[in-house]
Amino acid sequence: MGKIGGKLVIATHNAGKLKEIAALLAPFGVDCISAGALGLPEPPETGITFAENALIKARAAAQASGLPALADDSGLCVAALGGRPGVYTADWAERQRFEGPSGRDWYMAMGKVEGLLCEHGPDVDRSCWFACVLAIATPDGETAVYEGRANGTLTWPPRGTMGFGYDPVFVPLGETRTFAEHDPQEKHKISHRADAFAKLVKDQFGQ
Ligand code: IMP
């Protein structure tokens, strides 16, 4: 596909994600606007891979806005659990209706992963990876996909107060601290999102 430039719709309703992506693309003259700000609907994420879900979101935003769009999909994959929770990472943190207002409970989700791992015994393989897939779609149907990965191991109990989601149980390869014990600048240099963005920037802008 041709290079992205000018206006780009970021297919997210998450203000934090928009800010992070806009800052990464600003040096390349890309002007980011979120799907949320444009009032675009969020399509159901019915894919069974990160790439399928990222493409669903990017294509929907490009078609609805008439502008090129970028979407990301990410999650935690645990080797001993056959790659789960994978595309269902956020769902594992979903509170049950009877527990009260909707929202995500990351401690519960980390505990669920740990509980399943423990069923495999004390010598279970604790290796895992965070995956991030970025997809770009244009209104005329061109697409590009960039996959990033951060390898690591799962620790228990959770440690650290920075970051979000499963960061307190993820220890990146070659490290002793969890992602939640890294300051955000440091994490952004080694994360799955950084890896995917490096591939996008190289392909789109030759850098
Ligand atoms: P989505 O890509 O917005 O659907 O999010 C997938 C889920 O994966 C998030 O809600 C987080 O729980 C988890 N996740 C993705 N990236 C990270 C990360 O860098 N740290 C911790 N959790 C993450």
Side-chain angles (χ1 to χ4, degrees):
M1 77 177 328
K3 286 187 181 11
I4 49 172
K7 259 196 173 9
L8 179 70
V9 178
I10 309 303
T12 181
H13 286 65
N14 177 330
K17 252 189 205 178
L18 172 73
K19 203 172 155 200
E20 195 179 310
I21 295 173
L24 280 159
L25 296 179
F28 304 102
V30 179
D31 178 14
C32 296
I33 176 159
S34 82
L38 291 174
L40 307 182
E42 284 182 275
E45 295 179 32
T46 51
I48 56 165
T49 64
F50 295 112
E52 281 173 14
N53 281 338
L55 279 167
I56 286 171
K57 291 184 269 189
R59 283 188 174 122
Q63 274 159 22
S65 66
L67 292 165
L70 168 71
D72 88 326
D73 201 52
S74 57
L76 176 73
C77 305
V78 181
L81 303 183
R84 290 185 300 156
V87 291
Y88 305 107
T89 297
D91 299 340
W92 280 30
E94 197 83 65
R95 281 173 184 272
Q96 301 299 311
R97 268 176 209 285
F98 57 80
E99 283 181 28
S102 70
R104 305 217 190 264
D105 183 341
W106 298 110
Y107 193 83
M108 175 195 74
M110 292 186 284
K112 184 171 172 182
V113 169
E114 181 62 20
L116 288 169
L117 263 188
C118 287
E119 286 176 12
H120 293 257
D123 298 324
V124 65
D125 172 11
R126 303 187 69 86
S127 56
C128 63
W129 63 97
F130 272 126
C132 172
V133 174
L134 296 169
I136 297 175
T138 64
D140 57 14
E142 272 190 277
T143 57
V145 168
Y146 307 97
E147 306 202 5
R149 181 166 164 152
N151 292 313
T153 55
L154 287 171
T155 188
W156 193 261
R159 300 195 315 259
T161 53
M162 294 179 274
F164 67 99
Y166 295 72
D167 279 344
V169 289
F170 183 85
V171 179
L173 216 62
E175 267 282 351
T176 52
R177 291 170 304 152
T178 67
F179 259 173
E181 294 173 311
H182 283 64
D183 73 51
Q185 308 286 20
E186 210 184 352
K187 177 186 162 188
H188 290 157
K189 288 188 190 140
I190 57 172
S191 76
H192 43 309
R193 216 159 279 112
D195 187 29
F197 261 100
K199 289 172 183 164
L200 180 150
V201 164
K202 187 160 186 234
D203 186 46
Q204 292 285 325
F205 308 110
Q207 291 183 30

